[in-house]
């Protein structure tokens, strides 16, 4: 049974693995046996230590994933990988009447455009080589809901859910699994402003059936599942990990 989830001998590329959910996903995959390629703009020193403690290796590639510019270099420097986790993402908050084009573009480019072109770059190689691979997108509750004062974030994460299904339709028959994890409300930099706002924070907590915010390590199990042989027949799923938020 444990072999179903074993990632020994696999290499997983995780974007934005220096902190937050990306760090927890990278460490979870390493604990299941995978070596990690961490791609991002900040040095993943803490994550490297955790991956090494799990007995695996971490290779860091420095890249600003706010545009598609570094993608060809990232693919070349990463070498062969079997698992891609598009985790890097940003959020910008403002009333929609005041929302700027710069905030729209920054969020859409990082969260959606780069996730698509990284997926394309790796899937192209896997398909040309006649082998499969696993792509995990990091979606959001705002892949299902509207959110408040975050129009480009909602558009990007709803787009990512659609993209997960679109790519699954094209690549499932070629052995490439494309699925998404939709985290609920987790304690990371991304939600710092929400947690600092006492009213919003209370309202959010009151709606979570589990009665607490998610901890980054709450995501590791689903990431390992979607990266492993256990999910070989799963395609185009957007899996909520939300303490029951959507069930409310
Ligand atoms: P976080 O702590 O802010 O982490 C975001 C990660 O993305 C960081 O590693 C960050 O690097 C990286 N990143 C952002 N822009 C980048 C760029 N231009 N180039 C390279 N790396 C970049 O937030 P998080 O909560 O862990 O977010 C991870 C993912 O989960 C995001 O896609 C987010 O939308 C999603 N998510 C989070 C929640 C939540 O409740 N926390 C809920 C749903 C979905 P730096 O450290 O260098 O900025």
């Amino acid at each position: 049974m444990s072999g179903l989830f074993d990632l020994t001998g696999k290499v997983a590329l995780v974007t934005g693995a220096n902190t937050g959910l990306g760090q927890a996903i990278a460490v979870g995959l390493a604990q299941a046996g995978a070596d990690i390629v961490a791609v991002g703009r900040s040095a993943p020193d803490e994550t490297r230590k955790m991956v090494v403690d799990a007995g695996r290796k971490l290779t860091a590639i420095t890249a600003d994933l706010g545009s598609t510019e570094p993608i060809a270099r990232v693919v070349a420097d990463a070498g062969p990988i079997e698992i891609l986790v598009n985790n890097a993402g940003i959020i910008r908050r403002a009333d929609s009447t005041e929302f700027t084009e710069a905030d729209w573009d920054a969020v859409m480019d990082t969260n959606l455009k780069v996730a698509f072109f990284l997926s394309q770059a790796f899937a192209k190689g896997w398909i040309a080589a006649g082998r499969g691979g696993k792509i995990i997108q990091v979606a959001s509750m705002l892949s299902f809901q509207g959110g408040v004062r975050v129009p480009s974030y909602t558009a990007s994460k709803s787009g990512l859910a659609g993209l997960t299904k679109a790519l699954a339709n094209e690549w499932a028959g070629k052995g490439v699994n494309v699925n998404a994890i939709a985290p609920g409300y987790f304690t990371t930099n991304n939600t710092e402003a929400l947690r600092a706002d006492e009213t919003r924070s209370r309202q959010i907590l009151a709606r979570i059936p589990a009665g607490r915010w998610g901890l980054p390590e709450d995501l590791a199990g689903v990431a390992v599942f979607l990266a492993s042989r256990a999910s070989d027949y799963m395609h185009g799923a957007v899996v909520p990990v939300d303490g029951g938020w959507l069930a409310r």
Side-chain angles (χ1 to χ4, degrees):
M1 183 70 183
S2 68
L4 266 182
F5 301 95
D6 186 13
L7 301 180
T8 305
K10 309 276 186 200
V11 179
L13 187 155
V14 183
T15 65
N18 58 301
T19 185
L21 304 187
Q23 178 178 73
I25 290 171
V27 172
L29 297 177
Q31 285 168 344
D35 285 330
I36 304 298
V37 178
V39 181
R41 58 189 176 185
S42 305
D45 295 335
E46 193 181 55
T47 309
R48 181 194 306 281
K49 191 179 172 315
M50 296 161 91
V51 166
V52 169
D53 284 349
R56 308 311 317 174
K57 188 177 82 175
L58 183 145
T59 305
I61 298 176
T62 305
D64 183 340
L65 299 174
S67 83
T68 54
E69 184 276 327
I71 288 180
R73 175 175 60 82
V74 167
V75 173
D77 290 357
I81 65 160
E82 288 79 24
I83 300 154
L84 167 66
V85 183
N86 283 311
N87 164 79
I90 56 171
I91 191 161
R92 298 277 166 86
R93 299 175 196 279
D95 290 345
S96 289
T97 47
E98 310 305 323
F99 212 80
T100 66
E101 189 172 346
D103 280 346
W104 179 268
D105 287 345
V107 172
M108 292 298 279
D109 287 355
T110 307
N111 295 8
L112 186 56
K113 185 174 179 180
V114 169
F116 170 68
F117 282 102
L118 270 175
S119 303
Q120 180 194 61
F122 284 105
K124 207 172 185 167
W126 293 334
I127 292 166
R131 59 197 181 94
K134 301 271 185 179
I135 297 177
I136 303 170
Q137 316 288 8
V138 177
S140 165
M141 292 297 95
L142 302 191
S143 300
F144 306 103
Q145 302 177 307
V148 183
R149 302 180 71 249
V150 286
S152 60
Y153 188 81
T154 303
S156 72
K157 295 296 185 177
S158 297
L160 206 50
L163 184 65
T164 300
K165 297 172 216 171
L167 297 182
N169 285 334
E170 283 195 52
W171 298 342
K174 300 178 194 307
V176 178
N177 296 81
V178 187
N179 293 293
I181 299 171
Y185 288 83
F186 280 69
T187 53
T188 68
N189 301 334
N190 175 290
T191 52
E192 208 173 318
L194 275 186
R195 282 177 290 120
D197 179 334
E198 224 172 90
T199 311
R200 287 282 286 132
S201 178
R202 190 168 7 90
Q203 287 167 343
I204 287 168
L205 192 57
R207 202 204 133 133
I208 301 174
R212 64 170 177 87
W213 286 64
L215 300 171
E217 51 268 34
D218 286 323
L219 279 192
V222 176
V224 169
F225 169 58
L226 291 178
S228 72
R229 187 163 73 77
S231 60
D232 275 357
Y233 197 60
M234 272 183 80
H235 295 281
V238 183
V239 184
V241 182
D242 63 354
W245 173 275
L246 286 179
R248 199 75 165 204

